[in-house]
Amino acid sequence: MAGAAAESGAFAISWDPSAPRLAYGYGPGSLRELRAREFGRLAGTVYLDHAGATLFSQSQLESFTSDLMENIYGNPHSRNISSKLTHDTVEQVRYRILAHFHTTAEDYSVIFTAGSTAALKLVAEAFPWVPQGPESSGSRFCYLTDSHTSVVGMRNVTMAMNVMSTPVRPEDLWSAKARRASANDPDCKLPHLFCYPAQSNFSGARYPLSWIEEIKSGWLCPVSTLGKWFVLLDAASYVSTSPLDLSAHQADFVPISFYKIFGFPTGLGALLVHNRVAPLLRKTYFGGGTASAYLAGEDFYIPRPSVTQRFEDGTISFLDVIALKHGFDTLERLTGGMENIKQHTFSLAQYTYAALSSLQYPNGAPVVRIYSDSDFSSPEVQGPVINFNVLDDKGNIIGYSQVDKMASLYNIHLRTGCFCNTGACQRHLGISSEMVRKHFQAGHVCGDNMDLIDGQPTGSVRISFGYMSTLDDAQAFLRFIKDTCLHSSGGWPVPQACADTWEAGAPSEEGQADVAPTVMRRHSLLPREDALTGSRVWNNSPTAVNAAPVAPLVCDVTRIQQTPSEKAAGVLEGALGAHVVTNLYLYPIKSCAPFEVTRWPVGNQGLLYDRSWMVVNHNGVCLSQKQEPRLCLIQPFIDLQQKIMVIKAKGMEPIEVPLEENNERAQICQSKVCADRVNTYDCGEKISSWLSTFFGRPCHLIKQSSDFQRNAKKKHGKDESGKEELFSVKDLSLRFRANIIISGKRAFEEEKWDEISIGSLCFQVLGPCHRCQMICIDQQTGQRNQHIFQKLSESRERKVNFGMYLMHTSLDLSSPCFLSVGSQVLPVLKENVEGHDLPVSEKHQDVTS
């Protein structure tokens, strides 16, 4: 299958008639019926992160829980009846695992581990390494650079043993094979280990399983050194969607992770060890169940005879092991086996690859850059993974964080970053080792959202298909790319599948002509939506500067339709050129509706009671509008005199919550907000019941303890956009959840400020606010508008920053301090900004940004 060039604003896919037809689905049964029956929770969701973790089916979990309810499973180290049942069931599961990989207990042993990473660590620690010395060149640990972090991390273990590690690039091994580079001396028994993935978790590239025997036989050598080579095949990614025949490809070590195959249980993996190398493994520590005999008072220890008993320290997670039987059974029943899964998932990847690679802007520029070593011609060389970056029409890369946020607005779940595979990321994205070091010095770490540095990408976007993925998923993803990248180019239809190849009834894409919207901006001081601040107003002791984590923000809005009711009291029609506070908002409950005031006290952590409460789910996890948009429909009101907060919502009776906890009854617990630990307490069953009724699921209201403070942090900003409509100041204020709205002259002028003064209060500008997809939620209805984020992003050259975080630099808490509507705002420019740009006060040399 190959992508065809776009014609007349549309594109199509041409199919190679000589190419073998791949099976889609699993026989006569409808894949949609399977999805509805087994994965009903996916309704309205496009899940494309199966390489990260696939999903368990409903019947799989029901079968397992039924098993637990009907049987008694005791500790397998005991000798009673229930323990004997556990032991026998676990052994049966070992046989089932070996059968799944087309081998038997005569050839392989199954060692259960806490995941594939633990299996790799076990090999690193137990392999019979020979250190370098005067009489020996020592063992070599070699690994393909296109390897998971957990493989590369083995080198630290070997380094401690004085064993040399050598990274091998894929192209070097290919060229070595072409040269037939070998170093075979049957008399040299020096043990070496080569590790490589059967499938790259970065790009989905599949490396030849034939390398196993070629390297073990000495016909192909990763490096030129004499000795006996052993091979570790990292199969964790590969076996999630493909069969592995260990009778034909007998790797010495094969780490696997079961949740990648059928979703549950997590935290359980295995190391398959070939029995011919098992006796060579060395072990230092011994845990419960691994000893045949030992003495507590003397250095006497005799290990168990079998390799599984020696290396499974303590009691294994036997209930999780038992769950594997139900995973294998369900997978076989639903799909007919791994060969069918391989064909099905690859057919989806092949189709999506062809459609994605054919997408072009009207000027002919490609919409995406795909990172791949194959043309997706066969599942033998490519897995169901597509790695790419989105480009603009000038060929510039759009940061992966931006794509991730946009995808979430379409309820598409994908993965971004480097995917724990720095080697492949460097190779495909052209990132040198020096650049990696510079990126780290610039603040970028693995897993963060710093996606572009000096215009260069630090990572990419990955989608991957699983056994329950459908053509609808693929087309929904393609529509997302079309809508977000080609919205201004007219209706570009998503390519439809051939009728004789795909399941009938695939949805069609209707062309939609999108018009570039008008983007609004206005000055505002916006604390981060996810921030949860304290509630104390003043006390008798001054507060240190770094102990006041209020993080206000400054933004611009131009071309605003402003109604008289939205204008600040005391601000004249023609006086809006000055910087004046026009609106003040509190957000007492995180992600809930604002409470507008004209004058409000300021405490050591910001506006009094701002973001002091939050709604959490039954597991104590904080909810935001990203997960629960209806939070915006809950309206809190604060009465300082009565010391209560009244909470209202449509269809619900108002309810009161005290502003302060009863110290004698409040039970303090810890929660996390924006990766920060905070002390909180539960506000009681009455409000919990009220919230649970409103949301239709168990919820609680918790409040940050008034004597707990979070440290101020410099924030990094995000983008958002708007649709073809003029937003009122009120609507913008609600969407961007500003605490303080300030009139101004020009859009984004606040980004040139170093500090500001409002009355007697001084604030240091910490940095831009990164906007998230919450600004796409209409705060009056809870409905999403995906175009908001996109349009702000485009107007800001993909930066998606709107506003600046502020922190108190001075605050006398010995007397009440207030912010008021109508107060003048005096900004101080940054050192490198010309003073004539803005009307500013004198610069203060002792304040740093």
Side-chain angles (χ1 to χ4, degrees):
M1 180 173 66
E7 297 180 4
S8 304
F11 64 86
I13 294 178
S14 61
W15 296 80
D16 182 357
S18 64
R21 291 302 176 104
L22 295 165
Y24 171 80
Y26 306 106
S30 168
L31 191 57
R32 287 197 183 96
E33 291 179 5
L34 183 149
R35 275 280 288 261
R37 183 180 67 253
E38 297 285 353
F39 301 94
R41 63 190 186 278
L42 278 177
T45 297
V46 179
Y47 185 83
L48 296 176
D49 188 25
H50 294 275
T54 198
L55 305 175
F56 60 82
S57 66
Q58 182 173 322
S59 61
Q60 173 188 348
L61 209 58
E62 290 173 345
S63 177
F64 172 53
T65 54
S66 177
D67 187 349
L68 295 185
M69 298 302 292
E70 295 171 3
N71 295 286
I72 301 174
Y73 292 108
N75 190 313
H77 291 166
S78 299
R79 307 301 298 171
N80 56 56
I81 296 174
S82 60
S83 299
K84 183 67 163 55
L85 176 62
T86 302
H87 175 272
D88 293 345
T89 306
V90 167
E91 294 308 302
Q92 198 64 34
V93 172
R94 292 190 208 271
Y95 298 146
R96 182 63 183 274
I97 293 169
L98 294 172
H100 182 80
F101 295 111
H102 304 277
T103 187
T104 66
E106 279 69 42
D107 288 331
Y108 281 90
S109 295
V110 178
I111 302 172
F112 289 114
T113 63
S116 57
T117 294
L120 291 164
K121 183 171 180 284
L122 188 157
V123 175
E125 294 173 340
F127 189 80
W129 305 106
V130 175
Q132 287 180 296
E135 299 180 358
S136 174
S137 59
S139 298
R140 286 289 189 96
F141 168 56
C142 296
Y143 56 91
L144 206 67
T145 53
D146 188 357
S147 287
H148 193 277
T149 302
S150 299
V151 171
V152 181
M154 296 170 68
R155 72 185 182 197
N156 278 25
V157 178
T158 64
M159 190 185 307
M161 299 179 181
N162 199 25
V163 171
M164 183 181 298
S165 298
T166 304
V168 180
R169 300 184 304 170
E171 52 268 36
D172 292 340
L173 201 58
W174 285 113
S175 62
K177 184 174 182 178
R179 298 193 313 269
R180 295 197 173 187
S182 62
N184 190 11
D185 182 355
D187 295 329
C188 183
K189 302 300 182 183
L190 195 63
H192 309 299
L193 180 65
F194 177 65
C195 303
Y196 80 98
Q199 174 177 296
S200 168
N201 72 308
F202 181 90
S203 65
R206 290 183 167 171
Y207 294 102
L209 298 178
S210 60
W211 282 359
I212 297 172
E213 189 55 38
E214 291 169 355
I215 292 174
K216 284 168 55 180
S217 66
W219 188 83
L220 174 65
C221 283
V223 294
S224 181
T225 184
L226 296 178
K228 181 175 177 58
W229 282 96
F230 296 85
V231 176
L232 183 151
L233 181 72
D234 181 4
S237 180
Y238 181 87
V239 301
S240 62
T241 56
S242 287
L244 176 61
D245 187 348
L246 289 181
S247 66
H249 307 288
Q250 297 192 352
D252 299 295
F253 308 99
V254 183
I256 57 175
S257 192
F258 294 107
Y259 75 93
K260 292 184 181 292
I261 303 175
F262 35 68
F264 179 86
T266 58
L268 181 66
L271 177 66
L272 277 60
V273 181
H274 201 286
N275 290 335
R276 68 170 173 267
V277 302
L280 302 178
L281 298 181
R282 302 175 301 196
K283 192 166 185 283
T284 304
Y285 174 81
F286 65 93
T290 65
S292 292
Y294 78 97
L295 289 174
E298 298 180 27
D299 185 11
F300 173 74
Y301 161 68
I302 304 298
R304 294 276 187 179
S306 77
V307 66
T308 57
Q309 291 175 320
R310 290 202 307 274
F311 283 93
E312 290 177 350
D313 290 304
T315 302
I316 61 173
S317 185
F318 57 88
L319 294 181
D320 285 341
V321 172
I322 293 170
L324 299 180
K325 172 189 180 299
H326 301 279
F328 284 118
D329 287 349
T330 304
L331 198 67
E332 184 73 26
R333 175 174 53 81
L334 295 180
T335 67
M338 296 304 298
E339 182 62 33
N340 292 341
I341 293 175
K342 180 178 79 170
Q343 297 288 325
H344 169 73
T345 54
F346 180 74
S347 66
L348 287 172
Q350 188 182 53
Y351 165 76
T352 307
Y353 167 80
L356 203 57
S357 59
S358 67
L359 281 173
Q360 294 180 347
Y361 287 100
N363 64 0
V367 172
V368 300
R369 179 178 299 156
I370 298 177
Y371 306 112
S372 175
D373 290 318
S374 80
D375 59 357
F376 284 70
S377 60
S378 164
E380 306 309 316
V381 297
Q382 177 66 44
V385 176
I386 304 175
N387 196 304
F388 64 96
N389 266 317
V390 178
L391 310 175
D392 63 19
D393 58 1
K394 298 179 182 63
N396 300 312
I397 288 178
I398 299 172
Y400 61 74
S401 178
Q402 165 100 359
V403 177
D404 191 22
K405 291 172 189 173
M406 285 302 303
S408 68
L409 294 173
Y410 287 75
N411 212 6
I412 295 174
H413 302 195
L414 41 73
R415 183 151 175 188
T416 59
C418 270
F419 322 103
C420 296
N421 191 332
T422 299
C425 193
Q426 284 187 256
R427 174 170 169 258
H428 285 285
L429 274 63
I431 303 174
S432 67
S433 297
E434 182 61 26
M435 289 171 67
V436 172
R437 294 186 178 93
K438 288 183 177 179
H439 291 171
F440 176 74
Q441 292 170 356
H444 171 58
V445 296
C446 293
D448 68 11
N449 290 328
M450 194 177 291
D451 48 17
L452 295 173
I453 297 179
D454 296 330
Q456 298 301 312
T458 62
S460 56
V461 182
R462 185 187 72 186
I463 62 171
S464 49
F465 297 95
Y467 78 85
M468 76 296 297
S469 296
T470 66
L471 180 60
D472 291 346
D473 293 332
Q475 293 189 325
F477 168 74
L478 292 170
R479 280 195 296 274
F480 154 67
I481 295 294
K482 188 272 294 184
D483 287 348
T484 54
C485 296
L486 303 173
H487 56 88
S488 61
S489 305
W492 285 35
V494 170
Q496 296 303 304
C498 297
D500 60 343
T501 308
W502 300 98
E503 182 176 282
S508 61
E509 170 70 2
E510 297 179 0
Q512 298 177 354
D514 296 333
V515 183
T518 301
V519 181
M520 310 297 166
R521 303 180 190 87
R522 180 176 185 166
H523 283 91
S524 60
L525 290 175
L526 294 149
R528 181 172 177 170
E529 160 53 24
D530 292 340
L532 189 66
T533 60
S535 59
R536 291 167 63 185
V537 193
W538 59 80
N539 54 32
N540 293 326
S541 59
T543 302
V545 171
N546 62 359
V550 66
L553 234 148
V554 192
C555 312
D556 283 331
V557 176
T558 58
R559 297 176 61 187
I560 301 172
Q561 291 182 333
Q562 189 176 37
T563 63
S565 63
E566 292 167 337
K567 295 177 181 177
V571 179
L572 300 178
E573 178 75 23
L576 288 179
H579 299 99
V580 175
V581 176
T582 61
N583 303 81
L584 287 175
Y585 294 98
L586 301 181
Y587 296 86
I589 307 176
K590 175 179 159 56
S591 275
C592 291
F595 174 46
E596 187 171 8
V597 297
T598 58
R599 186 172 184 267
W600 199 255
V602 177
N604 62 346
Q605 290 186 297
L607 295 174
L608 181 62
Y609 298 119
D610 182 59
R611 293 170 171 88
S612 291
W613 290 265
M614 61 182 177
V615 179
V616 299
N617 68 8
H618 63 290
N619 289 324
V621 176
C622 177
L623 296 179
S624 75
Q625 290 182 28
K626 298 174 191 176
Q627 302 87 26
E628 182 50 83
R630 291 178 296 169
L631 281 165
C632 69
L633 304 179
I634 293 179
Q635 175 69 66
F637 301 87
I638 290 181
D639 188 326
L640 291 178
Q641 291 185 341
Q642 297 189 44
K643 298 183 179 180
I644 60 171
M645 176 172 62
V646 179
I647 304 174
K648 298 180 179 180
K650 186 176 181 180
M652 303 290 293
E653 290 293 325
I655 187 171
E656 296 180 1
V657 174
L659 294 182
E660 298 296 343
E661 69 269 30
N662 184 328
N663 291 326
E664 296 179 358
R665 295 189 303 169
Q667 182 176 356
I668 302 298
C669 60
Q670 291 194 338
S671 301
K672 262 200 169 180
V673 181
C674 298
D676 285 341
R677 176 181 57 84
V678 295
N679 284 348
T680 63
Y681 68 90
D682 194 296
C683 294
E685 287 300 319
K686 186 177 179 181
I687 182 61
S688 173
S689 177
W690 191 93
L691 290 169
S692 300
T693 300
F694 180 78
F695 291 114
R697 56 170 168 159
C699 293
H700 294 266
L701 184 70
I702 64 175
K703 181 179 183 293
Q704 180 180 338
S705 179
S706 59
D707 59 357
F708 187 83
Q709 295 183 348
R710 295 169 63 195
N711 291 326
K713 297 179 180 178
K714 183 173 181 179
K715 308 295 182 181
H716 300 280
K718 303 177 183 179
D719 303 7
E720 315 288 342
S721 305
K723 197 182 177 182
E724 174 65 17
E725 57 182 307
L726 290 178
F727 292 107
S728 67
V729 174
K730 188 75 171 181
D731 182 69
L732 281 172
S733 301
L734 295 177
R735 284 180 182 269
F736 287 91
R737 305 183 67 76
N739 279 116
I740 307 170
I741 308 296
I742 301 174
S743 64
K745 287 185 175 181
R746 291 184 299 277
F748 307 114
E749 62 179 314
E750 73 280 356
E751 294 179 0
K752 300 177 181 179
W753 297 350
D754 189 54
E755 61 179 276
I756 67 170
S757 297
I758 305 177
S760 63
L761 299 174
C762 297
F763 299 93
Q764 178 185 357
V765 177
L766 295 182
C769 175
H770 298 298
R771 307 310 307 187
C772 69
Q773 57 268 35
M774 275 180 55
I775 64 166
C776 295
I777 299 173
D778 187 324
Q779 298 298 298
Q780 303 293 337
T781 66
Q783 299 299 310
R784 296 178 187 270
N785 178 345
Q786 290 94 334
H787 299 283
I788 300 288
F789 184 93
Q790 182 181 351
K791 286 303 167 186
L792 179 59
S793 169
E794 291 173 357
S795 70
R796 306 250 37 213
E797 298 181 348
R798 308 294 179 184
K799 293 296 183 184
V800 201
N801 296 335
F802 196 72
M804 305 294 287
Y805 284 106
L806 305 181
M807 182 184 71
H808 308 143
T809 56
S810 63
L811 184 61
D812 182 4
L813 297 180
S814 61
S815 60
C817 297
F818 292 87
L819 277 175
S820 301
V821 169
S823 297
Q824 187 176 10
V825 178
L826 299 176
V828 176
L829 285 176
K830 294 178 180 177
E831 293 289 345
N832 59 349
V833 177
E834 294 296 329
H836 64 265
D837 283 352
L838 298 170
V840 298
S841 62
E842 286 188 16
K843 290 180 179 289
H844 299 286
Q845 300 300 321
D846 59 339
V847 178
T848 58
S849 175

